[in-house]
Amino acid sequence: MSSKMNRGVRGWALVLAMNLVARSLMIVATVAVLAVTWYFGVWFLLAGAVAWGVLMLMSPTTPEGLALRADDEPELVALVQRLASQHGMTAPLLLRMGPGNDASLSVRRLRGRIVYVLELGRPMLAFMTVEELSAVIVHELAHSDHLATPLDRALAGARNGLEGAWRVPFLTGLLLAATRPFTLEHEYDADAAAAAALGPSAVVSSLRRTSQIDELFDTVVDHWCGVLVDEGRYPQDLFSAAGLAISDPEVIAWIDANFAREIDNGEDDYPSIQGRMERLLPGGPHSRIEGSPVGLRNPDRLSAWSLSTVFGLDDKDNELTPGLVLDGPAGRFDPDAEQAHAALREATGEQRIHAALHSSADQIEAGTWRLLADRLEPEITDLVDAEREAARSGVLVSCVGTALMVPLAGAGWTRGNRWLPHILVSPDGERIDVLDVVDAAARTGDATRLRPLTDAAALDGVA
């Protein structure tokens, strides 16, 4: 059997299996309806068919996201149209904006016509340069070549259906993993198309920026949102504050350091950003190309729509009121040190936080810190092996690092960065990332850099 035929057989088999699993609940319901119909008669079936038809008519037919037209954002629409023309796309193309840091291309049938829908995330429009955004757009447009074949369209639809439906977790994981070769092929092909059109450096720059935006929103911005929502508010100035944070070189250095430590375990459904950059530019450099973002006519409108979508502000029962990230002191969004102190004291069995910190350093050097992490967060033991090590490290670093911040401040250390509370300045002027020190100690088993911090913390006079 040829490789092309083998790909087709394997692909259609996966489509059938994914659709069966995704629709397993519907299949069970159908059997139940047929059984009831056999008992009550055909009129029950006709009534069900009418109800189903009404539901289908009421279901949305327009693509999700905020429609962006030439009258709304002429510069952005012109950029998309130019790149689509250069790519050779002749089918109708609709432009939508989503609230997250994602981009996608989908195919829809609207009013009897096949149209493509390109969705770009609001953070991308805010924080990517024109060159980076262009690379993202061409990458997504290149997926139209995959969506042009019945098999690839069916695979994409089956994957989306499986990810969004009630399903059997074990079978879902196996089936999604089985589609990985198809996904890798599509992503690498799309990267190659973007590199051919704009150069590999532009594509690498877009991937690097994507990782930076992802990390910022998953950590710093997510924490802002959590604090404000707990107060009954939402961050009205989220994109302004995020813009300031992502422009801070120290924030970017911290984000890039986290990115460099990430490990591609080869088990994700999509290829890692590190692997994609290495394929485009073997050996590097995997750096950004500086530039300006695309010109937007009404960025406030786009930001307001994104916030309304994320926080459900159009819901009449929503009681969130506008709040600001930038209207308070730098320490307003600091992590809860008291909670970290309590957790660390309980996990180490020590009554005083200084003794608990010293015990943590001892366990790091003894190589038993994983047991400490399990006591800090018992649910870690339920994770699969591939996830457990990273989770243990994250819990340990977060708890010990947070527990150090207050005692160090009491011992004369000062805050070094508005956005990152774990960057402190010692009394003699040295800037230290407390989380990085704890992380390095756990990775190497050497607490030499951590010991001076636990010793200094003992000088603050806090019990």
Side-chain angles (χ1 to χ4, degrees):
M1 185 182 294
S2 68
S3 60
K4 184 176 182 180
M5 183 177 295
N6 184 58
R7 181 184 188 275
V9 171
R10 178 180 172 83
W12 284 113
L14 283 170
V15 169
L16 176 61
M18 286 191 290
N19 281 321
L20 285 174
V21 173
R23 292 163 174 77
S24 55
L25 191 61
M26 184 183 297
I27 293 171
V28 172
T30 300
V31 172
V33 168
L34 291 175
V36 173
T37 300
W38 176 82
Y39 185 80
F40 287 104
V42 71
W43 292 109
F44 183 87
L45 180 61
L46 290 176
V50 171
W52 178 263
V54 171
L55 287 174
M56 291 299 99
L57 290 174
M58 293 174 62
S59 62
T61 58
T62 57
E64 295 181 355
L66 178 66
L68 298 179
R69 302 179 178 87
D71 291 341
D72 303 319
E73 298 295 343
E75 189 171 329
L76 174 61
V77 172
L79 174 66
V80 171
Q81 290 176 342
R82 175 172 60 81
L83 294 172
S85 176
Q86 292 173 355
H87 188 71
M89 284 193 69
T90 57
L93 177 65
L94 304 180
L95 180 60
R96 293 290 189 273
M97 186 191 75
N101 188 41
D102 303 299
S104 65
L105 184 76
S106 59
V107 61
R108 300 285 295 267
R109 181 177 292 276
L110 296 177
R111 301 181 184 90
R113 292 195 308 167
I114 293 295
V115 300
Y116 288 95
V117 181
L118 173 65
E119 182 175 307
L120 301 173
R122 177 66 184 108
M124 290 181 167
L125 300 181
F127 306 126
M128 280 189 169
T129 66
V130 173
E131 292 77 9
E132 291 167 342
L133 187 62
S134 297
V136 170
I137 292 170
V138 175
H139 173 100
E140 295 303 328
L141 294 177
H143 283 308
S144 63
D145 300 333
H146 308 132
L147 294 172
T149 67
L151 172 57
D152 290 317
R153 281 201 303 271
L155 275 169
R159 276 186 61 95
N160 291 337
L162 192 61
E163 291 172 345
W166 180 92
R167 54 200 187 271
V168 182
F170 175 71
L171 289 177
T172 297
L174 287 178
L175 291 171
L176 291 178
T179 64
R180 179 175 167 81
F182 296 92
T183 306
L184 292 177
E185 175 189 333
H186 293 173
E187 292 303 311
Y188 292 148
D189 286 349
D191 282 345
L198 302 169
S201 295
V203 184
V204 166
S205 184
S206 73
L207 291 171
R208 170 67 73 180
R209 193 56 164 176
T210 297
S211 71
Q212 292 174 347
I213 298 172
D214 279 343
E215 183 71 14
L216 180 74
F217 273 72
D218 288 345
T219 55
V220 177
V221 174
D222 184 68
H223 182 64
W224 295 342
C225 295
V227 170
L228 285 172
V229 168
D230 285 344
E231 297 174 356
R233 295 184 289 176
Y234 70 92
Q236 191 176 35
D237 60 345
L238 185 147
F239 286 97
S240 297
L244 292 174
I246 206 168
S247 299
D248 186 324
E250 204 162 30
V251 172
I252 290 298
W254 172 72
I255 286 174
D256 287 345
N258 288 346
F259 177 76
R261 286 195 290 267
E262 291 181 4
I263 299 174
D264 179 14
N265 57 23
E267 296 182 359
D268 292 333
D269 296 329
Y270 287 87
S272 69
I273 288 182
Q274 298 98 318
R276 291 168 63 186
M277 291 195 301
E278 185 61 24
R279 284 177 67 96
L280 289 162
L281 284 178
H286 300 151
S287 54
R288 288 191 65 217
I289 301 173
E290 295 299 326
S292 302
V294 67
L296 297 174
R297 174 175 289 182
N298 196 347
D300 292 341
R301 168 179 171 261
L302 305 187
S303 297
W305 178 88
S306 296
L307 293 175
S308 178
T309 302
V310 170
F311 294 99
L313 302 182
D314 289 337
D315 186 345
K316 63 179 181 180
D317 296 325
N318 191 314
E319 298 181 353
L320 294 177
T321 59
L324 298 174
V325 174
L326 300 175
D327 71 342
R332 179 183 178 198
F333 296 101
D334 285 0
D336 189 343
E338 289 186 6
Q339 184 178 12
H341 289 177
L344 198 61
R345 285 197 297 263
E346 180 178 355
T348 59
E350 301 288 351
Q351 296 300 311
R352 300 175 65 249
I353 187 58
H354 306 126
L357 289 168
H358 279 291
S359 176
S360 301
D362 292 340
Q363 294 182 57
I364 287 173
E365 287 190 326
T368 59
W369 62 266
R370 292 170 182 82
L371 297 176
L372 173 60
D374 290 347
R375 291 193 295 272
L376 287 168
E377 186 56 72
E379 293 180 359
I380 288 178
T381 56
D382 297 332
L383 299 176
V384 298
D385 292 343
E387 300 173 349
R388 193 179 302 137
E389 185 71 6
R392 282 170 168 161
S393 176
V395 167
L396 178 84
V397 170
S398 176
C399 187
V400 175
T402 301
L404 273 167
M405 293 175 199
V406 169
L408 287 175
W413 293 55
T414 57
R415 189 188 191 93
N417 187 280
R418 170 168 188 163
W419 316 107
L420 305 176
H422 47 86
I423 295 180
L424 302 177
V425 180
S426 69
D428 59 4
E430 182 182 8
R431 297 178 73 86
I432 292 180
D433 184 338
V434 176
L435 297 185
D436 182 63
V437 171
V438 180
D439 178 70
R443 283 186 289 108
T444 63
D446 182 1
T448 302
R449 292 179 61 210
L450 178 59
R451 292 289 186 186
L453 301 188
T454 59
D455 292 341
L459 301 177
D460 77 327
V462 176

